[in-house]
Amino acid sequence: MGTKDTSTMDNNNSKPNIAFIGLGNMGAPMAENLLKAGYALSVFDLSDAATKRLKQAGASVSESPKDAANNAQVVISMLPAGQHVHSVYLGDSGSDGLLAELPKGTLVIDSSTIAAADARTVAEAASKLGIDFLDAPVSGGTGGAVAGSLTFIVGGDAAAFAKAEPILAVMGKNIFHAGEHGAGQVAKICNNMLLGILMAGTAEAINLGVKNGLDPKVLSDIMLQSSGRNWTLEVYNPYPQVMENVPSSNGYQGGFMSKLMQKDLNLAMQTAQDTEVDTPMGAKATELYASHTVENGDKDFSSIIGRHDVSLLS
Ligand code: NAD
């Protein structure tokens, strides 16, 4: 391949075919929203359980990223970390991954949270092949993915951003162009460093109140209407049964795994170190999540409250 021009997606009003790779807690509901909006989707994931869900929703299931991308004008990926993105797009040798198989003009949107440097590496390789690559990490959690109300934080060329915007608008409510390649990832890790600090701090405050005789819901309601208000209290309370339909009320299953928060905090710390920026609160949150993930890596990141009371995790 490598010579066919797929820019027909703008020549008529028909929707581009999309290949979607990575159908986990975030990718599955994002892909489902694209199907509901009438996009034809071919999907790939290493896990059969993940692809089964999407098959039931109407996607065609492929055996490899290359098969999924056959006939697709757009590729979207939602993978755990940088090494998975590298392996899918660049392959083992750096030049035998999916990028080498895609026709010129394909639009590739990677929504995984990875290091900005890794995103720039893939973008550069894509650019040499005439492929548009955008880093487009998201914020909003699994609830936002299901509701189609994610925030997309995009890095890359303005022209590629314009092509991606109508597709991202199906899965998200706020679509930001943060700047050039890698800028989306930098903004995302700043946000997630703050989120890690807020979740650890909120868990600590609720635990202090409960250990001093307060009801966790009453205390949460008070802080929600006071100056401690923040996103975790609004939509993601870490204390079990304070809020419905959040991981803390479901045994900390689903949601955003602690090991993924740990990965994002490590990315933030690496960036801070590389650029000699002082981030003491981020460093503390990183330390807390590092010890928490030893036993609880697969549990949602709100399970950090279990540091204070392990019985909450059972
Ligand atoms: P997840 O682990 O639930 O899903 C990842 C999926 O990728 C899995 O189904 C896995 O089988 C699949 N996968 C791994 N390697 C693959 C490969 N080589 N080819 C195909 N599929 C492969 O993770 P998630 O919670 O969906 O998170 C995905 C990304 O989104 C991460 O980078 C995470 O940091 C970010 N993120 C997550 C949330 C959240 O709330 N869960 C919120 C914002 C951003």
Side-chain angles (χ1 to χ4, degrees):
M1 279 199 247
T3 50
K4 195 171 79 187
D5 189 339
T6 60
S7 56
T8 48
M9 63 191 261
D10 293 330
N11 296 345
N12 55 42
N13 286 331
S14 67
K15 294 182 163 81
N17 296 333
I18 299 178
F20 205 112
I21 302 167
L23 307 161
N25 289 327
M26 295 295 285
M30 290 165 71
E32 281 169 354
N33 282 332
L34 289 169
L35 285 168
K36 278 185 215 146
Y39 285 88
L41 239 63
S42 36
V43 300
F44 174 71
D45 193 292
L46 297 174
S47 143
D48 288 343
T51 51
K52 195 170 164 203
R53 170 174 170 181
L54 264 292
K55 190 175 181 186
Q56 279 163 357
S60 112
V61 174
S62 302
E63 293 300 314
S64 67
K66 183 186 163 188
D67 285 350
N70 196 18
N71 287 326
Q73 293 81 43
V74 176
V75 177
I76 302 177
S77 49
M78 193 52 165
L79 296 161
Q83 73 262 29
H84 309 96
V85 174
H86 190 286
S87 139
V88 165
Y89 288 114
L90 301 177
D92 291 338
S93 76
S95 59
D96 64 346
L98 180 58
L99 285 185
E101 307 287 344
L102 297 176
K104 274 188 183 163
T106 306
L107 173 63
V108 175
I109 303 169
D110 177 46
S111 283
S112 329
T113 304
I114 64 173
D118 290 341
R120 289 188 199 109
T121 301
V122 183
E124 204 174 303
S127 166
K128 283 184 187 148
L129 295 165
I131 293 163
D132 289 321
F133 178 86
L134 294 171
D135 47 296
V138 302
S139 180
T142 44
V146 172
S149 62
L150 291 169
T151 296
F152 280 89
I153 313 165
V154 185
D157 296 344
F161 176 75
K163 273 207 264 179
E165 223 178 345
I167 299 168
L168 301 183
V170 171
M171 300 176 282
K173 206 159 67 179
N174 297 297
I175 323 288
F176 291 101
H177 188 199
E180 282 309 311
H181 296 297
Q185 297 295 354
V186 174
K188 169 68 186 171
I189 55 147
C190 292
N191 178 75
N192 273 29
M193 181 181 80
L194 181 56
L195 176 61
I197 294 166
L198 288 172
M199 183 57 89
T202 301
E204 194 171 301
I206 295 176
N207 178 64
L208 179 64
V210 168
K211 294 281 159 60
N212 281 274
L214 291 184
D215 179 281
K217 172 136 179 46
V218 171
L219 174 58
S220 296
D221 286 346
I222 291 167
M223 294 195 293
L224 251 182
Q225 301 307 327
S226 307
S227 44
R229 182 182 188 124
N230 69 76
W231 183 87
T232 71
L233 286 169
E234 284 167 8
V235 301
Y236 218 100
N237 197 295
Y239 203 94
Q241 311 309 333
V242 167
M243 212 172 242
E244 286 179 3
N245 300 322
V246 290
S248 59
S249 296
N250 183 31
Y252 298 97
Q253 298 308 302
F256 181 42
M257 286 181 274
S258 295
K259 66 185 178 193
L260 291 179
M261 172 52 90
Q262 177 65 18
K263 169 201 61 152
D264 292 356
L265 287 166
N266 286 339
L267 290 174
M269 291 307 97
Q270 188 62 51
T271 304
Q273 193 181 323
D274 292 347
T275 50
E276 296 181 8
V277 177
D278 189 30
T279 51
M281 298 291 285
K284 189 65 200 175
T286 307
E287 184 191 316
L288 296 175
Y289 272 98
S291 63
H292 181 63
T293 49
V294 173
E295 300 267 322
N296 302 290
D298 288 344
K299 292 194 177 76
D300 179 73
F301 80 118
S302 60
S303 65
I304 191 82
I305 198 163
R307 283 190 74 254
H308 306 285
D309 183 349
V310 77
S311 73
L312 298 178
L313 302 185
S314 53

